Amino acid sequence: MTTSERVLTGERADLTQTLGRHRGFLRHTVRGLTDEQAAARTTVSELCLGGLIKHVAVTEERWMRFAVGGAEAMQGEPLDWANGFRMVDGESLAGLLDRYAEVAARTDELIATLDLDASHPLPVAPWFEPGASWSVRRVLLHLIAETAQHAGHAGHADILREAIDGSKTMG
């Protein structure tokens, strides 16, 4: 049974709907853009709207691997830090959005089925407290915050889009 066939209630519904809303803001921000516009760097950084879609999809996918199997499962394929926030040859906005939709669908399935209280030790990294663990719930809250930070009103995506053509997600 898929999430679309299942009726989520309570906390699971709240988490799914909130994450979905912020994903929607991010997708809305890139509506109507060409691949060239989505790849345009409108600030001094390497960040572009297509790269932002790619980054959020990769981040969501990695954290959900952590939610399922812990730090080892999070590793997967090595991150391409140099190209993680930009579009590279062969990437299209449509392709990045399709990939993001696949990741989102998988996450929604996991929200419906995982034990939200299950917990795993965080990977060793200077930005995590040594020995700390996160529950699946905490991972989902982190993904909501991460997605909201990049999307929505005055988020990274809005700033980049406004520099392209003056459009904003809200207003």
Side-chain angles (χ1 to χ4, degrees):
M1 181 179 290
T2 66
T3 302
S4 60
E5 296 166 333
R6 187 181 280 140
V7 176
L8 296 179
T9 59
E11 183 179 19
R12 291 177 193 278
D14 291 345
L15 291 166
T16 303
Q17 290 168 3
T18 303
L19 184 54
R21 180 178 175 148
H22 291 293
R23 287 182 192 130
F25 287 148
L26 186 55
R27 281 193 214 78
H28 183 78
T29 304
V30 300
R31 78 202 175 288
L33 291 180
T34 65
D35 288 342
E36 292 76 26
Q37 289 171 314
R41 293 175 44 214
T42 61
T43 67
V44 296
S45 76
E46 290 294 320
L47 188 61
C48 67
L49 284 164
L52 199 53
I53 298 288
K54 178 171 37 174
H55 165 73
V56 173
V58 166
T59 299
E60 183 170 323
E61 180 181 45
R62 288 175 58 85
W63 276 109
M64 291 313 295
R65 286 198 313 248
F66 171 86
V68 171
E72 294 84 30
M74 187 183 207
Q75 299 312 311
E77 56 190 72
L79 287 176
D80 181 358
W81 290 106
N83 294 313
F85 288 95
R86 61 183 176 175
M87 290 174 65
V88 296
D89 288 341
E91 290 180 332
S92 68
L93 180 57
L96 293 171
L97 287 167
D98 287 347
R99 175 76 179 113
Y100 189 32
E102 291 169 11
V103 168
R106 174 72 175 138
T107 297
D108 291 350
E109 289 293 325
L110 291 170
I111 292 171
T113 59
L114 289 177
D115 175 359
L116 299 178
D117 293 319
S119 184
H120 303 288
L122 289 169
V124 175
W127 47 86
F128 293 132
E129 179 184 334
S133 293
W134 277 11
S135 68
V136 171
R137 179 182 293 101
R138 175 85 182 263
V139 168
L140 294 170
L141 293 172
H142 176 72
L143 288 177
I144 290 167
E146 172 87 9
T147 306
Q149 172 184 329
H150 292 309
H153 182 64
H156 299 135
D158 255 3
I159 292 165
L160 296 171
R161 176 65 189 252
E162 192 171 8
I164 292 170
D165 64 5
S167 295
K168 293 182 275 186
T169 301
M170 302 175 127

